[in-house]
Amino acid sequence: METSEKLPQDIGAFHRHRVGIGSWFKSGDPWIWLTATAVGACIVAVLGLLGLIAFKGLAHFWPADVVTIDYESEFGQFRVAGEIVQREFIGRDQYMEASSSASQIEGDQAERWMLKSGNRKIDAPDFRWVYRHEIVQQVKDRDMIVFERSEWGNAYGTLVDIKEQGRSVAPDNPWGELQDRIERVSDLRDQSRRIQKGSINRINYRLEKLRLEKRNRELKGIVDHSDLENEREQLNAEYGVEERRLREITNQLDRDEIEIQIADGRVSTIPMRNVIRAWQPNEMSLWSKLGHYFSSIWIFLSQESREANTEGGVFPALFGTVLMVLLMSVLVTPFGVIAALYLREYAKQGPFVQLIRIAVNNLAGVPSIVYGVFGLGFFVYLVGGSIDDLFFKAAQPAPTFGTPGLMWASLTLALLTVPVVIVSTEEGLTRIPSELREGSLALGATKAETMFKIILPMASPSILTGIILAIARAAGEVAPLMLVGVVKLAPTLPIDGNFPFLHLDRKFMHLGFHIYDLGFQSPNVDAARPLVFATAFLLVLIIVALNLTAITLRNRLEARYRGAML
């Protein structure tokens, strides 16, 4: 009897529970929580990826301690000094493939360290693996110095002597004397760079203009070139003066040299002109290391690359990326806005307009390399070649605009991203109430005045949304740029002091291509790996900064026109 009395109550509770779950699902709360969980997981994944990239890249600039290691392998006894840049464990089977001393391993794994030992010219390779169980002794020599050089990578060793014109200086304070002479060489190097990229570059540019002007006159049948010859002689005289100044600086740069002793006891001579910086990481305090760390980041951002892009900075690539994105934004905005304005406000709605919209949406899915091929064929060869035939006959057969350059790269990316701007602008125009248009026309405004003074300002947040999306896509593109203007190393920046100052015909460097080159074309993979992460993190920061700027402007415009949209 007790069982029969409780059964209806249990069935009723189960029914009520089932009805409650059904009502909960019908309310949509599970889908809200599921969506929130998915968004949260995506945010965590993105932040984790950015954190990994930042850690791998920014750790490269920290002045790590230099460890001197004595180890004994099956090939003999060795001593090496360097920075420990990586630690990992490998299995016994993998170790046995490279060594016959697997019996020394305790357990199933062997620990090994990657050392950046430098001294590439006299003690290659500059990255080497050392197994932990083979190490006999490891010490941190407080006199160990890291020399950052303009070529052949870093050098690690202790200072033996400083020489001036082949004679030993023998200073009382060798470290202070070394820093003073490095500073002197840095000043001379800056003077040399200013002469080469300043006055000599200006003279060469003017000489080339004279050559083209003379050729232009010859094409027109003019035979008198006396004024051009006089100016050429004057420029050649100026060039001779600057060349002598440069030669004097070069002689001063070659005056000093240093001798260092590397870990295995050999002595190496380094010309002082090749030394950029020197520091003693084992002697540095935490604050000294922090100062050196931020100084290294600044060098990375402000200097040119060296050693096949595996050393130095990324300033030309950083400058080219920002300039190209800005030019692309200036070009894509009017095209996208005018096209959207015509399709929404002026074109008669029908099958033809609908077909155009379908084509625009499909263009957004075309692979970027196709745009690169189109840009190379249409912009570079057809348009650029026609410009050369019309305006630059004197320079032919050398192309001026008939070769990949900054302008064609910006136009190609503008064409690639214009569908995004069109769709975003059209959506913004659709949301504007028709009463505003009718009211403006009723008050006597023309349709053009209504468009430019009322409709477009109110649609500006949507236009900026399209520009934000365009910037985010264009800044990371690499494939089309390889065909229409980006190069591994550009001799000059697209902007300089020579008229017209902005040279749209020049080739340029780009952070995306720089990453590709470091990751897949570098002759020294181990040296390039941290720079790949650092450059990728910098590119992400640039995209975020450009997007935040556009988002801030969009939010202000939305706040201004929110009342009119309600």
Side-chain angles (χ1 to χ4, degrees), residues 292-309:
H292 184 277
Y293 177 73
F294 289 110
S295 174
S296 299
I297 293 178
W298 172 248
I299 290 174
F300 176 71
L301 296 176
S302 61
Q303 290 190 1
E304 299 177 354
S305 58
R306 308 186 306 270
E307 294 288 291
N309 290 340

Side-chain angles (χ1 to χ4, degrees), residues 331-351:
L331 292 170
V332 75
T333 302
F335 283 115
V337 172
I338 291 173
L341 194 62
Y342 173 77
L343 291 175
R344 177 55 56 182
E345 302 293 337
Y346 289 93
K348 183 179 180 180
Q349 303 302 313

Side-chain angles (χ1 to χ4, degrees), residues 191-202 204 246:
Q191 295 177 28
S192 175
R193 188 181 299 111
R194 283 194 296 269
I195 293 175
Q196 291 178 4
K197 296 193 174 183
S199 55
I200 289 182
N201 180 54
R202 175 183 55 82
N204 286 330
L246 188 61

Side-chain angles (χ1 to χ4, degrees), residues 298-465:
W298 172 248
I299 290 174
F300 176 71
L301 296 176
S302 61
Q303 290 190 1
E304 299 177 354
S305 58
R306 308 186 306 270
E307 294 288 291
N309 290 340
T310 60
E311 302 285 347
V314 293
F315 176 73
L318 172 62
F319 185 86
T321 302
V322 175
L323 181 59
M324 186 211 64
V325 169
L326 293 178
L327 286 176
M328 182 276 303
S329 302
V330 171
L331 292 170
V332 75
T333 302
F335 283 115
V337 172
I338 291 173
L341 194 62
Y342 173 77
L343 291 175
R344 177 55 56 182
E345 302 293 337
Y346 289 93
K348 183 179 180 180
Q349 303 302 313
F352 181 71
V353 173
Q354 189 64 25
L355 182 64
I356 293 177
R357 288 198 177 95
I358 293 174
V360 168
N361 292 330
N362 289 336
L363 281 175
V366 174
S368 59
I369 189 64
V370 176
Y371 285 97
V373 173
F374 175 81
L376 180 65
F378 180 75
F379 290 133
V380 177
Y381 293 151
L382 181 60
V383 179
S386 301
I387 292 175
D388 286 350
D389 292 337
L390 291 174
F391 303 104
F392 298 97
K393 289 183 179 180
Q396 291 181 337
T400 302
F401 282 95
T403 185
L406 176 62
M407 183 170 69
W408 307 134
S410 301
L411 277 172
T412 301
L413 288 188
L415 187 65
L416 184 148
T417 56
V418 73
V420 178
V421 179
I422 292 175
V423 172
S424 179
T425 305
E426 261 205 282
E427 291 178 356
L429 294 172
T430 304
R431 291 199 301 267
I432 298 176
S434 58
E435 291 82 359
L436 291 175
R437 299 176 176 84
E438 296 169 357
S440 176
L441 296 173
L443 291 173
T446 64
K447 190 167 185 177
E449 290 174 336
T450 303
M451 289 296 106
F452 289 102
K453 294 184 178 181
I454 296 178
I455 303 303
L456 282 180
M458 295 183 65
S460 55
S462 297
I463 297 173
L464 283 172
T465 300

